[in-house]
Amino acid sequence: AQTVTQSQPEMSVQEAETVTLSCTYDTSENNYYLFWYKQPPSRQMILVIRQEAYKQQNATENRFSVNFQKAAKSFSLKISDSQLGDTAMYFCAFIDSGYALNFGKGTSLLVTP
Amino acid sequence: EAGVAQSPRYKIIEKRQSVAFWCNPISGHATLYWYQQILGQGPKLLIQFQNNGVVDDSQLPKDRFSAERLKGVDSTLKIQPAKLEDSAVYLCASSFLGVRKQYFGPGTRLTVT
């Protein structure tokens, strides 16, 4: 069974600092897609960043970047210059066969002033 | 661009009652997903539609859950009869055909007492 593991249930970071959220996954497929979603208290799931497994270059979206290690099946999210609005649950997810997302249990991130 | 719409936002029912949720995807999105998110967990796929046909309903508890997507646009998800363990947030998402980027609605929080 495909699984996603997020080993940090909760994390805290001060405003303007950098934080890294960890994610490991398991799949037997060679082609797949990886995602980080943000879910604030409003419950709206928002796509933060995505990575295609066949691309070696790590994806970057403004203050958000990933460290994709395919051999280790690791996909961590780095948030630079953290802002109060980054406070949310962060879910790592992937799609291998088909189109449905497989999610981890999430990491609750708190950004403090 | 209008996002994915869902209603109601909140629903409280007693066990053994029935309930229905509605989802209107982004215009032009052929693929529609229903996810169940139990508190403290990541979302889990219940059913995936492509136009008005079911692609994957392997994790849908068919003895009590049903879903339809008449005319390939709006979708309804029904639970009858509800159990306490059905308390969760029900998320609807949609995407263009063949595209692995999903857009989520705000979700419906169901509480079964």
Side-chain angles (χ1 to χ4, degrees), chain B residues 54-85:
Chain B
V54 175
V55 174
D56 183 357
D57 63 356
S58 58
Q59 298 193 77
L60 187 73
K62 297 179 186 63
D63 58 334
R64 299 182 300 104
F65 285 66
S66 65
E68 61 182 9
R69 192 184 183 198
L70 300 176
K71 301 180 181 178
V73 182
D74 294 5
S75 177
T76 56
L77 176 69
K78 297 179 181 178
I79 308 175
Q80 181 180 5
K83 292 185 175 181
L84 295 177
E85 59 260 36

Side-chain angles (χ1 to χ4, degrees), chain A residues 48-112:
Chain A
V48 173
I49 197 167
R50 63 176 173 174
Q51 172 87 38
E52 290 88 349
Y54 63 86
K55 291 185 178 178
Q56 292 187 342
Q57 186 172 4
N58 289 324
T60 300
E61 285 287 342
N62 300 313
R63 299 182 293 107
F64 299 88
S65 61
V66 298
N67 183 3
F68 173 47
Q69 302 289 328
K70 190 172 184 179
K73 294 182 179 177
S74 172
F75 183 61
S76 60
L77 174 69
K78 185 171 81 172
I79 306 174
S80 304
D81 186 25
S82 298
Q83 301 175 359
L84 296 178
D86 295 334
T87 292
M89 283 291 292
Y90 286 81
F91 291 95
C92 178
F94 77 93
I95 296 174
D96 49 14
S97 58
Y99 292 86
L101 286 157
N102 295 283
F103 286 91
K105 290 189 175 183
T107 295
S108 178
L109 177 66
L110 176 64
V111 181
T112 59

Side-chain angles (χ1 to χ4, degrees), chain B residues 4-113:
Chain B
V4 177
Q6 288 188 249
S7 67
R9 292 296 310 275
Y10 304 89
K11 189 73 177 179
I12 301 174
I13 62 172
E14 295 182 349
K15 59 183 179 183
R16 291 188 290 273
Q17 286 187 322
S18 62
V19 64
F21 312 128
W22 173 82
C23 173
N24 180 240
I26 292 173
S27 177
H29 282 193
T31 309
L32 185 147
Y33 310 80
W34 283 101
Y35 292 87
Q36 180 193 56
Q37 185 178 16
I38 293 173
L39 185 65
Q41 299 183 19
K44 180 188 78 172
L45 179 74
L46 289 175
I47 189 166
Q48 175 187 343
F49 291 95
Q50 184 168 301
N51 295 310
N52 61 351
V54 175
V55 174
D56 183 357
D57 63 356
S58 58
Q59 298 193 77
L60 187 73
K62 297 179 186 63
D63 58 334
R64 299 182 300 104
F65 285 66
S66 65
E68 61 182 9
R69 192 184 183 198
L70 300 176
K71 301 180 181 178
V73 182
D74 294 5
S75 177
T76 56
L77 176 69
K78 297 179 181 178
I79 308 175
Q80 181 180 5
K83 292 185 175 181
L84 295 177
E85 59 260 36
D86 298 331
S87 293
V89 174
Y90 290 85
L91 296 166
C92 179
S94 68
S95 68
F96 284 113
L97 186 64
V99 175
R100 289 176 171 83
K101 181 177 180 180
Q102 297 179 25
Y103 296 80
F104 283 81
T108 296
R109 181 181 295 278
L110 173 67
T111 302
V112 182
T113 62

Side-chain angles (χ1 to χ4, degrees), chain A residues 10-81:
Chain A
E10 297 179 349
M11 293 195 72
S12 180
V13 65
Q14 283 194 318
E15 205 174 2
E17 296 295 308
T18 296
V19 64
T20 299
L21 279 56
S22 301
C23 173
T24 58
Y25 58 92
D26 185 29
T27 178
S28 57
E29 300 289 332
N30 191 48
N31 293 323
Y32 49 90
Y33 301 79
L34 295 159
F35 306 83
W36 277 98
Y37 277 88
K38 167 185 177 180
Q39 188 177 43
S42 67
R43 300 197 307 267
Q44 187 90 38
M45 197 73 79
I46 302 164
L47 178 63
V48 173
I49 197 167
R50 63 176 173 174
Q51 172 87 38
E52 290 88 349
Y54 63 86
K55 291 185 178 178
Q56 292 187 342
Q57 186 172 4
N58 289 324
T60 300
E61 285 287 342
N62 300 313
R63 299 182 293 107
F64 299 88
S65 61
V66 298
N67 183 3
F68 173 47
Q69 302 289 328
K70 190 172 184 179
K73 294 182 179 177
S74 172
F75 183 61
S76 60
L77 174 69
K78 185 171 81 172
I79 306 174
S80 304
D81 186 25

